[in-house]
Amino acid sequence: MTEEKKPTSFVGRVLAWGLLITLLALVGAQLRSSLQGVLTRGEQAPDFTLTTFDGQTITSADIEGKVVVLNIWASWCLPCKDEAAHLEQAWQHYQDRGDVIFLGVAYVDTEKESLAFIEEHHVTYPNGPDLGTTIYTSFRARGVPETFVINKLGEIASVKIGPYQSVEEIITVVDRLLELD
Amino acid sequence: MIADLGFFALLIAFLLALYACAAAAFGSQRGQQRWVSSARSATILSFPLLTIACASLVYLLANLDFHVQYVTQVTSHSMPMYLRVTALWGGQAGSLLFWAWLMAAFTFAVMLREWRRDRDLEPWVIIVTASTLAFFLALILFFENPFLRYWQGITGTVWAAMWQPTGAQPYIPMDGNGLNPLLRHPGMIIHPPMLYIGFVAFVVPFAFAIAALVTGRSDDRWIRVTRRWTLIAWLFLSLGLILGSRWAYDVLGWGGYWGWDPVEIAAFMPWLTGTAFLHSVMIQEKRGMFKHWNMLLVILTYCLVIFGTFLTRSGVLSSVHAFAQSAIGPMFFGFIALTFAVSLALLNKRWATLKSEVEMTSLLSRESLFLVNNLLFMGILVICFWGVVFPIVSEASGGIGRAIPALAHIFTGQRATVGPIFYESATGPLWAALLLLMGIAPLSAWRASTARTLGRAMWKPFAVSLVVLAGLLVGGMRQPLAVLALWICAFVFLVTVYEFWRGARARTGHGEHFFQAFWRLVARNRRRYGGYIIHIGVILIAVGIIGIELFQQETQGSLAVGERMHLGSYSIEYESLAEFETPDGRLVDRAVVNVFKNGEPLTQLYPRRDFYYESQQAMTIPGLRSTLEDDVYILLVDWEPVSASSATFKMYVNPLVNWIWLGGFVFIFGTLVASWPEADLQPVRSRAGVRGTAERA
Amino acid sequence: MKRLALTLAACLLLAACAGSPAVAPSAQGGTPSADQVNAVAKNLYCPVCANVPLDVCGTAACAQWRGQIADLLAEGYSQQQVYDYFAAQYGQGVLAVPPARGLNWLVYLLPPAVILGAALLLGRNLRRWQAAPSAAKPGNDDEYTRKLEEELKARR
């Protein structure tokens, strides 16, 4: 910044331009990612690892070839409470098929409150904390609740920002993906 | 109708700004003054046009014309008239228009000045100001048009557009969303305008600097022209920062006044370089040295202004101050990239010609002490800049980690937070050094000072300051940092007061009464003594900051009705809590708290929580008792619903914090003194001594 | 005048003597007090509310976090262990300053390096400029200060 003394020299010039270009590149990259918004349909779902509250580890490899409903929620989020019953019912509907997986990801939530939430809403599908908020970040989520439905090819097939209003809404999305086979 | 008027005024102003750029460039190329004059007229005209645009929007806001999208976004029926008007800068689109209007006002003022001596600079000043204005107007017209109106199609969908689409009907919502509660504070009425004025005013020095670089004119003319403009910009920027702190103290409910939020820092960085410039420019005036450095500082200041604006408005940073995400990002990014690149290229080109023979006789001379001052300000700038940029670096560099797995543990891509502790501990020593310098530099002489002359000039204040130091220690203060910092403050204060005293005493020799002498002294040497007044303001602010930073006490507790909580010599007693609705759409929970000092009843305070229905946001407004000694600052954290049988309070005792605001007044007063035009400037009288040697300002 | 200024300064500074340093939290077992929780929370930032320290943030998520801190302190966690736990759970972004490792070293090293570099550069140049032969005679050429000194001398 304070290269006041000899920017007429070659080193000074290179340094000044180098700093400027680096700064602009950084800010440009940041601007791009802030404008990108949530992952959109057709994009490949990012790899992730979810360690559930009961100690099970679920990775991207485990869900290959399956339809995944990945719901990001938090116990302090009011709309998530309304949505929990719909998600659980939809999970009951698909549970026995084997090719549909529901995953709950608790964002910025404490374990105690998360577990209380799961118990209160009788959620039975696997749930885990978003360690280091990496899942939230890699899916470029913008808030809670947000739900990403991933098709059997591992692509994002549907993004729901805000809560699902009914079981049917979830079933319609998932059924369409299952029909594609 | 009014929206059309505003829109067309905006459009014409935009076209005129474009025309002004082209005409000025053409006129300068061909050496035809009439083209330049025409460009100047076009630039002048943009101000009345934007005044019409702003007035139109204010009219729409005041009349709650919800047909207009912007009005719906920022106002509502429950808002009183003054808030409807100030909602002009309550949202992205309106504040951009307001910003452009202020910039046009400054451009207007600078265009009306006497240009005869600066004909060569004129076209370039026009090009810089008009292109900047054109850019902002383009942002408004193409991305953030405040005059868009709602339309409803046959299918019932509603969208915003300037003109009525075929088959669509006007759509007028019943009520608006209302202004963000954070902005509904009297402080918010003046804080943003002051800051904006401070920001936009820097375009004038910048335009002159660029003009001087382009034309290769390396004399001091541009400095003489722009010094006062810089001082005015700096005045408003300072005022904006002080008012912003006060607003944060009153409204944000943090118990503090400055959170080192990235947006605060973004406004603070141009202040740092501007302050550095106001000091170093004196070297150029007195000694003709460091022209290149001053040029760099002016350009850097302006670049930081637009960089800060960009960070705030593009959604790159998240902050309490940030505007909602917006589409203006890419275009704004292009603008700053262009501005930075052009500035750097021009500096590069002219650097050698600007460099002058440097000759320093003494390391203790005024000029070298000013260089140390600049070094310290730039050091603080580096810390602030790096603190703001590092979270971006930490996140963006994750790309390297993903590309090269071997480096993934270094470049994790995890966003880091750089919080207040970093800034406080990193800049603290530099501030202390600056403060100390403030006591030494005014006593040093230009060109030559020796340790002996300097020592002779300051031993008296120094000796007295040691008495203060002893007083502090005897008084029981044991925190080394606080003792050191307060001793520096005392020393600098004494030096400055001693300077006033010496100046006034010299004048009394001419048969003037002491106070008369004092008054005339300041009046005739506004820059020098205005500067000293600013220094006194800084010391007062420093004392306030030391007080709250090093001696703040806080406690939190849940109190049943009638129960007490103690902190320092104060205690508070929870008396009652009432919940009621207000006509402006708030649900207010207001506690009544009795305050005692050393067990004696002192006063009653009413900390409260305001819940705004429209925006579903809550605001915690402190109960505050403020004295010069300390502030008792009480927040209502929580309460037992319905019965209100108990409530949780957070209580702060903030020693000396009032000195910050007091110092703020002194600071602003000093700046006014220093920048006030010398109407009574007389030719230097031959035998008049100090009286006649009024410094030219 | 001088005495007045002195008294003023002394009063001003002595006023600061009141007050004592904040008490550091100690949390060995038992239910931690709100002050102990706040002292820890002061240096944490919840991702839900940007740039607002946890101890004064009003959102539901932050209230839960403070509850979590209280639980951890009750279990005997030290302040640093609480920070480590939160960083592991929610990423390093929750910490007020990044932990000194990997790339984060840059936060701590770059500003001092730049400032020291600039200071060295300035120091070297000052010496060089000073060494340069000077035609001008040394002496005070600030007209105002010179006159001021003369006047004062004449008065003695």
Side-chain angles (χ1 to χ4, degrees):
Chain A
M1 281 246 83
T2 50
E3 297 318 312
E4 46 156 320
K5 299 310 170 205
K6 16 177 183 170
T8 35
S9 75
F10 181 70
V11 180
R13 254 170 225 241
V14 170
L15 203 64
W17 282 105
L19 280 176
L20 178 62
I21 290 166
T22 316
L23 174 69
L24 289 177
L26 269 172
V27 174
Q30 185 68 21
L31 178 66
R32 226 190 85 198
S33 75
S34 81
L35 289 177
Q36 252 175 345
V38 181
L39 276 183
T40 48
R41 261 183 77 176
E43 280 187 76
Q44 196 69 29
D47 286 346
F48 64 88
T49 308
L50 180 72
T51 308
T52 62
F53 289 114
D54 39 23
Q56 206 186 334
T57 303
I58 298 168
T59 64
S60 306
D62 299 327
I63 58 162
E64 246 175 37
K66 294 176 182 170
V67 173
V68 181
V69 177
L70 187 139
N71 172 248
I72 301 180
W73 60 277
S75 63
W76 42 262
C77 133
L78 293 176
C80 298
K81 292 189 176 54
D82 306 333
E83 184 191 42
H86 304 316
L87 281 164
E88 177 57 25
Q89 275 183 42
W91 166 237
Q92 297 291 350
H93 178 82
Y94 292 111
Q95 193 174 8
D96 301 329
R97 284 187 57 122
D99 59 351
V100 179
I101 296 183
F102 276 53
L103 294 176
V105 177
Y107 168 70
V108 184
D109 209 355
T110 57
E111 187 161 338
K112 190 171 81 180
E113 308 280 347
S114 297
L115 291 174
F117 181 94
I118 290 168
E119 193 171 328
E120 186 192 337
H121 298 279
H122 313 292
V123 180
T124 59
Y125 55 88
N127 265 281
D130 184 7
L131 287 180
T133 63
T134 45
I135 298 176
Y136 184 87
T137 315
S138 61
F139 278 78
R140 303 202 300 261
R142 285 281 179 267
V144 278
E146 268 172 31
T147 309
F148 298 86
V149 183
I150 303 166
N151 67 19
K152 292 186 173 179
L153 300 171
E155 295 159 355
I156 301 289
S158 151
V159 179
K160 175 76 183 174
I161 292 173
Y164 282 114
Q165 303 299 336
S166 65
V167 194
E168 290 72 34
E169 198 183 346
I170 307 171
I171 291 180
T172 316
V173 174
V174 177
D175 277 354
R176 207 182 54 230
L177 294 179
L178 293 171
E179 278 162 21
L180 289 176
D181 297 335
Chain B
M1 211 47 236
I2 298 291
D4 293 328
L5 176 70
F7 180 79
F8 278 113
L10 207 58
L11 187 64
I12 297 167
F14 173 64
L15 296 174
L16 277 177
L18 287 182
Y19 165 77
C21 291
F26 182 77
S28 132
Q29 186 96 46
R30 294 285 169 88
Q32 288 174 339
Q33 182 56 36
R34 59 200 176 89
W35 280 101
V36 178
S37 299
S38 161
R40 191 175 129 199
S41 310
T43 317
I44 287 174
L45 208 56
S46 63
F47 177 57
L49 283 166
L50 287 177
T51 307
I52 294 173
C54 267
S56 311
L57 190 55
V58 169
Y59 177 86
L60 293 168
L61 287 164
N63 288 294
L64 298 178
D65 187 342
F66 294 132
H67 187 199
V68 176
Q69 184 191 27
Y70 183 73
V71 178
T72 306
Q73 283 168 347
V74 296
T75 61
S76 64
H77 281 296
S78 62
M79 278 164 56
M81 183 53 81
Y82 77 97
L83 282 179
R84 294 181 200 172
V85 173
T86 57
L88 174 62
W89 52 84
Q92 175 89 279
S95 72
L96 273 176
L97 177 60
F98 182 59
W99 169 285
W101 177 69
L102 289 175
M103 185 168 265
F106 271 90
T107 314
F108 179 77
V110 81
M111 286 303 146
L112 288 183
R113 65 184 287 281
E114 180 53 63
W115 281 95
R116 225 169 345 164
R117 289 175 63 193
D118 313 296
R119 283 289 174 229
D120 51 342
L121 298 180
E122 187 181 4
W124 295 101
V125 172
I126 294 175
I127 289 172
V128 173
T129 51
S131 60
T132 313
L133 194 60
F135 161 74
F136 277 99
L137 293 176
L139 281 187
I140 300 168
L141 283 170
F142 303 124
F143 294 102
E144 290 287 346
N145 185 347
F147 296 110
L148 292 186
R149 287 167 287 201
Y150 283 125
W151 307 99
Q152 188 165 35
I154 315 160
T155 54
T157 49
V158 174
W159 68 96
M162 194 59 223
W163 315 115
Q164 184 163 18
T166 41
Q169 290 302 313
Y171 174 76
I172 302 171
M174 294 301 289
D175 199 358
N177 304 336
L179 194 62
N180 181 345
L182 284 176
L183 307 181
R184 300 186 186 195
H185 179 266
M188 258 350 240
I189 296 168
I190 36 180
H191 159 60
M194 292 301 125
L195 214 52
Y196 288 1
I197 293 174
F199 278 176
V200 299
F202 275 115
V203 78
V204 178
F206 173 75
F208 273 94
I210 292 291
L213 282 176
V214 172
T215 55
R217 202 168 145 173
S218 63
D219 62 356
D220 286 350
R221 180 68 190 153
W222 75 274
I223 286 268
R224 301 226 175 277
V225 173
T226 58
R227 218 210 53 242
R228 172 157 300 128
W229 290 98
T230 313
L231 203 54
I232 289 170
W234 187 77
L235 165 72
F236 282 102
L237 193 52
S238 310
L239 200 55
L241 288 168
I242 294 168
L243 286 169
S245 310
R246 181 72 218 199
W247 168 76
Y249 190 70
D250 283 348
V251 171
L252 292 183
W254 292 346
Y257 55 95
W258 182 262
W260 293 101
D261 178 285
V263 172
E264 288 172 349
I265 299 171
F268 188 50
M269 288 195 292
W271 186 88
L272 290 171
T273 49
T275 314
F277 171 77
L278 287 174
H279 287 95
S280 74
V281 72
M282 287 185 251
I283 311 180
Q284 181 168 347
E285 285 175 32
K286 293 278 181 197
R287 302 286 322 271
M289 302 186 299
F290 299 109
K291 285 178 195 166
H292 55 320
W293 177 241
N294 287 324
M295 191 68 96
L296 182 69
L297 281 179
V298 164
I299 290 174
L300 192 59
T301 304
Y302 178 72
C303 286
L304 286 169
V305 163
I306 56 168
F307 188 63
T309 314
F310 165 75
L311 288 182
T312 323
R313 289 170 179 274
S314 64
V316 167
L317 290 178
S318 47
S319 151
V320 277
H321 298 77
F323 287 86
Q325 214 161 324
S326 157
I328 64 175
M331 189 171 163
F332 212 136
F333 181 72
F335 176 69
I336 60 167
L338 186 72
T339 311
F340 287 10
V342 168
S343 306
L344 184 57
L346 281 170
L347 272 173
N348 236 329
K349 189 173 159 209
R350 300 286 181 196
W351 196 257
T353 49
L354 283 170
K355 272 183 120 167
S356 49
E357 271 311 298
V358 176
E359 168 229 325
M360 291 270 176
T361 323
S362 158
L363 289 182
L364 290 172
S365 63
R366 182 79 69 94
E367 50 268 43
S368 54
L369 291 180
F370 273 152
L371 287 181
V372 177
N373 151 307
N374 271 226
L375 175 73
L376 292 169
F377 272 114
M378 298 312 274
I380 295 171
L381 174 74
V382 168
I383 292 166
C384 290
F385 185 80
W386 188 233
V388 170
V389 168
F390 185 75
I392 301 177
V393 173
S394 65
E395 202 174 357
S397 66
I400 304 176
R402 282 190 293 277
I404 312 165
L407 296 176
H409 65 287
I410 296 178
F411 300 103
T412 55
Q414 269 197 43
R415 194 181 182 93
T417 301
V418 180
I421 321 174
F422 169 77
Y423 298 103
E424 282 162 9
S425 47
T427 60
L430 300 181
W431 287 119
L434 267 177
L435 215 51
L436 190 62
L437 201 58
M438 212 166 82
I440 300 171
L443 299 177
S444 66
W446 291 102
R447 197 183 292 271
S449 275
T450 60
R452 248 183 82 199
T453 55
L454 213 52
R456 210 162 46 214
M458 72 184 155
W459 75 267
K460 283 179 200 160
F462 182 80
V464 179
S465 76
L466 289 181
V467 177
V468 176
L469 178 66
L472 287 175
L473 292 171
V474 172
M477 192 178 287
R478 286 294 173 271
Q479 250 177 295
L481 265 184
V483 172
L484 178 70
L486 287 174
W487 170 71
I488 295 178
C489 287
F491 169 63
V492 179
F493 181 77
L494 290 166
V495 163
T496 316
V497 170
Y498 185 54
E499 278 294 286
F500 272 105
W501 183 80
R502 269 161 39 102
R505 206 171 108 90
R507 287 187 67 93
T508 53
H510 299 277
E512 286 176 11
H513 180 266
F514 186 82
F515 289 105
Q516 190 185 19
F518 187 80
W519 176 254
R520 295 225 173 114
L521 174 80
V522 175
R524 293 290 160 77
N525 304 281
R526 286 183 185 149
R527 263 184 91 191
R528 175 182 292 264
Y529 290 101
Y532 290 167
I533 295 173
I534 297 175
H535 283 181
I536 290 180
V538 172
I539 298 163
L540 297 180
I541 293 174
V543 168
I545 292 175
I546 294 165
I548 187 172
E549 292 297 331
L550 297 178
F551 296 101
Q552 185 179 46
Q553 290 175 283
E554 61 172 276
T555 188
Q556 182 177 333
S558 201
L559 301 180
V561 171
E563 203 181 344
R564 285 196 193 183
M565 177 164 87
H566 308 276
L567 183 65
S569 55
Y570 293 95
S571 48
I572 59 169
E573 179 190 78
Y574 172 43
E575 187 177 302
S576 63
L577 183 123
E579 185 169 84
F580 52 91
E581 289 189 4
T582 60
D584 58 353
R586 285 176 294 162
L587 175 69
V588 178
D589 284 278
R590 179 171 170 276
V592 179
V593 172
N594 294 315
V595 183
F596 302 86
K597 183 168 190 176
N598 301 321
E600 298 294 313
L602 191 65
T603 184
Q604 205 165 51
L605 291 178
Y606 313 100
R608 59 175 217 264
R609 173 83 62 90
D610 291 9
F611 184 77
Y612 286 81
Y613 288 117
E614 283 157 354
S615 55
Q616 294 284 305
Q617 270 179 292
M619 298 260 305
T620 309
I621 310 290
L624 184 62
R625 179 190 185 264
S626 200
T627 62
L628 276 184
E629 188 190 344
D630 53 19
D631 281 16
V632 180
Y633 185 104
I634 300 169
L635 296 172
L636 174 63
V637 176
D638 203 0
W639 59 92
E640 199 66 42
V642 193
S643 74
S645 57
S646 78
T648 308
F649 296 96
K650 193 159 189 180
M651 176 181 181
Y652 294 88
V653 174
N654 298 330
L656 300 179
V657 66
N658 243 330
W659 293 80
I660 297 180
W661 322 123
L662 188 72
F665 281 116
V666 176
F667 188 101
I668 297 303
F669 173 70
T671 316
L672 282 174
V673 169
S675 58
W676 207 262
E678 306 240 358
D680 57 344
L681 189 72
Q682 331 163 342
V684 177
R685 270 186 272 154
S686 55
R687 212 221 73 75
V690 172
R691 264 196 280 188
T693 56
E695 277 184 276
R696 273 160 292 139
Chain C
M1 185 70 192
K2 193 155 67 173
R3 196 175 305 155
L4 187 81
L6 179 66
T7 333
L8 193 74
C11 293
L12 187 163
L13 297 169
L14 285 173
C17 295
S20 61
V23 186
S26 63
Q28 268 78 47
T31 316
S33 70
D35 286 346
Q36 287 170 332
V37 171
N38 281 337
V40 177
K42 213 178 239 331
N43 293 320
L44 285 174
Y45 288 78
C46 159
V48 178
C49 26
N51 302 306
V52 181
L54 186 60
D55 62 330
V56 287
C57 183
T59 62
C62 288
Q64 286 186 10
W65 276 34
R66 287 191 292 267
Q68 178 77 24
I69 293 173
D71 290 351
L72 293 174
L73 290 177
E75 281 173 39
Y77 276 56
S78 71
Q79 187 162 351
Q80 187 55 47
Q81 283 169 325
V82 174
Y83 293 151
D84 293 343
Y85 171 86
F86 271 89
Q89 283 286 313
Y90 310 108
Q92 63 167 3
V94 302
L95 301 174
V97 284
R101 59 161 182 261
L103 189 71
N104 295 341
W105 275 110
L106 280 180
V107 176
Y108 303 102
L109 296 182
L110 193 113
V114 172
I115 294 168
L116 280 181
L120 284 176
L121 210 61
L122 179 65
R124 216 187 57 194
N125 278 316
L126 274 178
R127 203 159 309 145
R128 210 188 61 209
W129 292 327
Q130 208 186 1
S134 151
K137 59 168 179 20
N140 193 345
D141 66 355
D142 184 340
E143 194 188 10
Y144 178 79
T145 13
R146 192 169 46 81
K147 283 240 167 76
L148 179 71
E149 295 301 337
E150 276 171 15
E151 299 259 345
L152 282 172
K153 212 170 273 171
R155 297 218 48 203
R156 279 189 195 122

